[in-house]
Amino acid sequence: MERKHNDESFMRAAVCEAVRGDPVKTSPNPRVGAVIVENGEIVAKGHFEKDGGPHAERHAFEALGRKPAKGAVLYVTLEPCSTKGRTGACTDAILKSGIRRVVVGASDPTPEHRGNATRVLEAAGVEVSVGVLDAECSALNPGYQGHSTAK
Protein backbone atom coordinates (compact mmCIF):
# COMPACT_ATOMS: atom_id res chain seq x y z
CA MET A 1 0.00 0.00 0.00
CA GLU A 2 2.83 2.40 0.84
CA ARG A 3 4.46 1.87 -2.57
CA LYS A 4 1.19 2.72 -4.33
CA HIS A 5 0.80 5.86 -2.20
CA ASN A 6 4.39 6.91 -2.94
CA ASP A 7 3.95 6.24 -6.66
CA GLU A 8 0.82 8.39 -6.73
CA SER A 9 2.50 11.18 -4.78
CA PHE A 10 5.52 11.30 -7.08
CA MET A 11 3.30 11.03 -10.16
CA ARG A 12 1.42 14.10 -8.93
CA ALA A 13 4.75 15.92 -8.90
CA ALA A 14 5.31 14.80 -12.49
CA VAL A 15 1.82 16.09 -13.40
CA CYS A 16 2.71 19.45 -11.82
CA GLU A 17 5.87 19.50 -13.91
CA ALA A 18 3.93 18.65 -17.09
CA VAL A 19 1.57 21.61 -16.69
CA ARG A 20 4.59 23.90 -16.99
CA GLY A 21 4.62 23.00 -20.69
CA ASP A 22 2.77 25.36 -23.04
CA PRO A 23 0.42 23.28 -25.25
CA VAL A 24 0.90 25.76 -28.10
CA LYS A 25 4.68 25.24 -28.04
CA THR A 26 4.55 21.46 -27.56
CA SER A 27 1.99 20.85 -30.32
CA PRO A 28 1.53 18.51 -32.11
CA ASN A 29 3.11 16.62 -29.22
CA PRO A 30 1.62 16.35 -25.71
CA ARG A 31 2.64 18.01 -22.48
CA VAL A 32 4.70 15.56 -20.42
CA GLY A 33 6.38 15.80 -17.04
CA ALA A 34 9.05 13.64 -15.43
CA VAL A 35 10.68 13.43 -12.01
CA ILE A 36 13.60 11.36 -10.78
CA VAL A 37 13.37 10.08 -7.21
CA GLU A 38 16.24 8.82 -5.10
CA ASN A 39 15.74 7.48 -1.57
CA GLY A 40 12.22 8.87 -1.42
CA GLU A 41 13.19 12.41 -2.50
CA ILE A 42 12.73 14.19 -5.81
CA VAL A 43 16.20 15.04 -7.09
CA ALA A 44 15.39 16.24 -10.62
CA LYS A 45 12.44 17.38 -12.72
CA GLY A 46 11.81 18.01 -16.38
CA HIS A 47 9.00 18.77 -18.79
CA PHE A 48 8.56 18.84 -22.53
CA GLU A 49 8.99 22.46 -23.57
CA LYS A 50 8.63 22.67 -27.35
CA ASP A 51 8.11 20.61 -30.48
CA GLY A 52 11.44 19.28 -31.70
CA GLY A 53 13.13 19.78 -28.34
CA PRO A 54 14.26 17.26 -25.75
CA HIS A 55 11.52 15.27 -24.07
CA ALA A 56 10.68 15.50 -20.37
CA GLU A 57 12.83 12.49 -19.44
CA ARG A 58 15.90 13.99 -21.08
CA HIS A 59 15.32 17.33 -19.33
CA ALA A 60 15.11 15.50 -15.99
CA PHE A 61 18.35 13.62 -16.67
CA GLU A 62 20.03 16.89 -17.68
CA ALA A 63 18.74 18.62 -14.53
CA LEU A 64 20.19 15.79 -12.43
CA GLY A 65 23.59 16.35 -14.04
CA ARG A 66 24.94 12.91 -13.13
CA LYS A 67 24.00 9.26 -13.28
CA PRO A 68 20.98 8.45 -11.10
CA ALA A 69 21.82 6.70 -7.83
CA LYS A 70 21.25 2.97 -7.52
CA GLY A 71 17.56 2.38 -6.83
CA ALA A 72 16.43 5.67 -8.42
CA VAL A 73 12.96 5.71 -9.96
CA LEU A 74 11.75 7.71 -12.97
CA TYR A 75 8.15 8.92 -12.93
CA VAL A 76 6.78 10.12 -16.27
CA THR A 77 3.22 11.19 -17.10
CA LEU A 78 3.16 9.59 -20.56
CA GLU A 79 4.78 6.41 -21.83
CA PRO A 80 8.33 7.24 -22.95
CA CYS A 81 8.94 7.31 -26.68
CA SER A 82 10.64 4.27 -28.13
CA THR A 83 11.32 5.59 -31.63
CA LYS A 84 14.32 7.62 -32.73
CA GLY A 85 12.39 10.65 -34.10
CA ARG A 86 14.22 13.99 -33.96
CA THR A 87 15.45 13.67 -30.39
CA GLY A 88 16.27 9.99 -30.01
CA ALA A 89 14.27 7.37 -28.19
CA CYS A 90 13.70 8.14 -24.51
CA THR A 91 13.86 4.41 -23.83
CA ASP A 92 17.50 4.54 -24.97
CA ALA A 93 18.21 7.44 -22.59
CA ILE A 94 16.53 5.57 -19.72
CA LEU A 95 18.57 2.43 -20.35
CA LYS A 96 21.78 4.45 -20.65
CA SER A 97 21.01 6.18 -17.33
CA GLY A 98 20.90 2.91 -15.42
CA ILE A 99 17.40 3.53 -14.01
CA ARG A 100 15.88 0.14 -13.12
CA ARG A 101 12.28 1.21 -12.34
CA VAL A 102 10.00 3.45 -14.39
CA VAL A 103 6.49 4.48 -13.35
CA VAL A 104 4.24 5.63 -16.19
CA GLY A 105 1.03 7.59 -15.84
CA ALA A 106 -0.70 7.05 -19.20
CA SER A 107 0.08 4.80 -22.15
CA ASP A 108 0.90 6.44 -25.47
CA PRO A 109 -2.37 6.66 -27.40
CA THR A 110 -0.55 6.33 -30.73
CA PRO A 111 -1.45 2.81 -31.91
CA GLU A 112 1.97 1.97 -33.35
CA HIS A 113 3.74 3.20 -30.18
CA ARG A 114 1.41 2.03 -27.39
CA GLY A 115 3.18 -0.45 -25.12
CA ASN A 116 6.48 -0.36 -27.01
CA ALA A 117 8.38 1.41 -24.23
CA THR A 118 7.18 -1.12 -21.69
CA ARG A 119 8.33 -4.00 -23.91
CA VAL A 120 11.73 -2.40 -24.61
CA LEU A 121 12.41 -1.52 -20.98
CA GLU A 122 11.19 -4.81 -19.52
CA ALA A 123 13.24 -6.77 -22.06
CA ALA A 124 16.28 -4.95 -20.66
CA GLY A 125 15.35 -5.84 -17.07
CA VAL A 126 13.71 -2.55 -16.08
CA GLU A 127 10.61 -2.79 -13.88
CA VAL A 128 7.75 -0.79 -15.42
CA SER A 129 4.47 0.16 -13.75
CA VAL A 130 1.83 1.66 -16.05
CA GLY A 131 -1.42 3.45 -15.27
CA VAL A 132 -0.52 5.34 -12.09
CA LEU A 133 -2.94 8.29 -12.01
CA ASP A 134 -3.87 7.46 -15.60
CA ALA A 135 -6.93 9.76 -15.65
CA GLU A 136 -4.99 12.75 -14.33
CA CYS A 137 -2.12 12.15 -16.72
CA SER A 138 -4.43 11.71 -19.71
CA ALA A 139 -6.27 14.91 -18.76
CA LEU A 140 -3.06 16.89 -19.31
CA ASN A 141 -3.67 16.62 -23.06
CA PRO A 142 -7.42 16.71 -23.77
CA GLY A 143 -8.25 15.24 -27.15
CA TYR A 144 -4.71 14.02 -27.75
CA GLN A 145 -4.97 10.92 -29.95
CA GLY A 146 -1.26 10.34 -30.40
CA HIS A 147 1.38 11.52 -32.81
CA SER A 148 2.80 9.19 -35.39
CA THR A 149 6.42 9.53 -36.39
CA ALA A 150 5.87 7.32 -39.44
CA LYS A 151 6.45 9.06 -42.74
Side-chain angles (χ1 to χ4, degrees):
M1 184 67 178
E2 184 177 340
R3 187 176 199 186
K4 179 182 177 193
H5 173 74
N6 288 341
D7 284 351
E8 289 177 354
S9 178
F10 292 127
M11 188 59 72
R12 282 188 185 91
V15 168
C16 289
E17 188 64 21
V19 298
R20 296 183 64 206
D22 179 344
V24 172
K25 291 180 181 175
T26 63
S27 180
N29 296 300
R31 296 186 301 170
V32 179
V35 298
I36 299 171
V37 174
E38 295 177 348
N39 299 312
E41 299 289 330
I42 295 172
V43 294
K45 302 176 185 178
H47 66 277
F48 183 57
E49 296 176 1
K50 64 180 183 172
D51 181 43
H55 292 182
E57 301 90 331
R58 290 180 183 275
H59 278 294
F61 289 133
E62 182 180 325
L64 184 60
R66 58 173 170 75
K67 287 268 193 190
K70 185 175 180 176
V73 181
L74 173 67
Y75 292 82
V76 62
T77 58
L78 185 68
E79 178 179 353
C81 70
S82 58
T83 56
K84 302 294 184 227
R86 292 178 280 180
T87 61
C90 289
T91 51
D92 291 346
I94 293 165
L95 294 174
K96 183 178 177 185
S97 79
I99 291 263
R100 305 309 295 162
R101 181 165 185 254
V102 176
V103 180
V104 175
S107 295
D108 189 329
T110 311
E112 66 265 28
H113 298 172
R114 186 179 305 117
N116 285 349
T118 300
R119 288 187 286 279
V120 167
L121 294 172
E122 287 181 342
V126 175
E127 178 188 346
V128 181
S129 299
V130 180
V132 175
L133 300 184
D134 186 2
E136 291 91 330
C137 293
S138 295
L140 289 165
N141 302 291
Y144 180 67
Q145 299 294 312
H147 180 68
S148 177
T149 55
K151 301 279 182 203

